[in-house]
Each structure stands twice: as structure tokens, then as C-alpha cells.
């Protein structure tokens, strides 16, 4: 439990620093949460969820990768495992139990109102139930 509190505090302190720096230079803090992570609450409310403007929240993680390729970003950036830079840099996919490709297909299908029978064709029932539960929880 102490590790979870440390992770939460680390993210919030990072945001305090960003706002401190932004205030000194009359900048805005730009959010980096995408639709995939925001939809399931994979952010800290007053940490990486705090910002002045969200420019990526309408795009799924897989769409961001497509955009990055289109913009010509280096593959080492595009293919870097997504992590909150927290405990042992564990990738988010470890926590999710599925890839972002699977998560994005599942979220899109949920948004379109697919039945549970159709959803389990995308990922196993355990994954569907887990993501449904995450969507219900407050950040």
C-alpha cells in the first residue's frame, strides 16, 4: 500500500513542479492523457490529470501512435512501452492485462454499445469485466 501512496505523491509533485515552472514563464500546462487511459481512469486526478488544456483526450492510444508515425517521430519514441514512470517503470499493459490495441478496440466497441457476447470476441471475459469495472471507478 505504501508504494501506491508513493506513486500517487510522485505524480502530484511532478505536476506541482510543472505548474510552478509554467507560472514563472507564463506558460500553460498541456495534458497528455489520451482517450484510452482517461476512459479507464489510468491517471491521477491532481497529478497527470491536472492541466490547463487537453489536446489528446479525444484520441485513443493507437491513434496517437499512428499520428506519431505520420509526423515522422523516431521509432524508439513511438514503440517505447507506456509507463507512468513510477514503480520499476512497469508498463501499463502489465496492469491492464491486455495490449493497447485490444483495449482501444474494446473501448470503441463499448462506446458503440456492443453486447457482452460481442465484447468477449475482442478480449476474454475477464478483460471485459476488468475494463468495465475500471470505467465505473472515480479517478
Amino acid at each position: 500500500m505504501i508504494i501506491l501512496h508513493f506513486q500517487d505523491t510522485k505524480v502530484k509533485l511532478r505536476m506541482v513542479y510543472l505548474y510552478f515552472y509554467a507560472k514563472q514563464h507564463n506558460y500553460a500546462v498541456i495534458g497528455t492523457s489520451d482517450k484510452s487511459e482517461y476512459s479507464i481512469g489510468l491517471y491521477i486526478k491532481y497529478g497527470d490529470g491536472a492541466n490547463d488544456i487537453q489536446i489528446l483526450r479525444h484520441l485513443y492510444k493507437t491513434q496517437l501512435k499512428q499520428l506519431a508515425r505520420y509526423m515522422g517521430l523516431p521509432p524508439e519514441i513511438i514503440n517505447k512501452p507506456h509507463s507512468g514512470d513510477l514503480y520499476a517503470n512497469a508498463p501499463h499493459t502489465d496492469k491492464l492485462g491486455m495490449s493497447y490495441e485490444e483495449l482501444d478496440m474494446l473501448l470503441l466497441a463499448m462506446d458503440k454499445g456492443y453486447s457482452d457476447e460481442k465484447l468477449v470476441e475482442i478480449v476474454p471475459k475477464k478483460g471485459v469485466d476488468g475494463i468495465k469495472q475500471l470505467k465505473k471507478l472515480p479517478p
Side-chain angles (χ1 to χ4, degrees):
M1 183 59 97
I2 210 84
I3 290 177
L4 291 175
H5 294 305
F6 170 76
Q7 292 173 346
D8 190 63
T9 302
K10 182 179 178 183
V11 173
K12 290 176 181 175
L13 287 173
R14 185 183 317 163
M15 193 53 65
V16 167
Y17 173 76
L18 287 173
Y19 268 99
F20 177 77
Y21 187 84
K23 186 73 172 170
Q24 287 180 315
H25 298 281
N26 200 29
Y27 292 164
V29 174
I30 309 299
T32 60
S33 294
D34 55 62
K35 187 171 185 172
S36 307
E37 294 175 352
Y38 186 77
S39 295
I40 60 170
L42 192 58
Y43 65 95
I44 306 294
K45 188 174 183 180
Y46 297 111
D48 52 340
N51 49 71
D52 296 315
I53 185 171
Q54 274 290 349
I55 60 172
L56 305 174
R57 196 174 285 167
H58 67 290
L59 296 171
Y60 291 106
K61 182 74 74 187
T62 51
Q63 291 174 310
L64 286 175
K65 283 188 170 203
Q66 291 171 347
L67 179 60
R69 283 188 199 92
Y70 175 78
M71 294 174 63
L73 292 177
E76 55 270 15
I77 292 176
I78 297 170
N79 299 323
K80 182 181 177 204
H82 304 281
S83 117
D85 184 32
L86 299 171
Y87 184 68
N89 274 334
H92 288 159
T93 51
D94 287 358
K95 181 189 247 184
L96 296 172
M98 66 184 73
S99 69
Y100 272 103
E101 289 78 11
E102 292 169 315
L103 174 64
D104 289 352
M105 286 191 295
L106 181 59
L107 290 172
L108 182 61
M110 288 173 146
D111 288 346
K112 290 184 178 250
Y114 282 34
S115 68
D116 284 355
E117 292 79 25
K118 288 282 188 193
L119 295 177
V120 296
E121 292 176 14
I122 300 168
V123 297
K125 183 173 180 357
K126 181 180 176 184
V128 172
D129 292 344
I131 296 304
K132 281 185 166 186
Q133 186 64 33
L134 287 173
K135 285 181 66 100
K136 290 179 186 177
L137 296 174

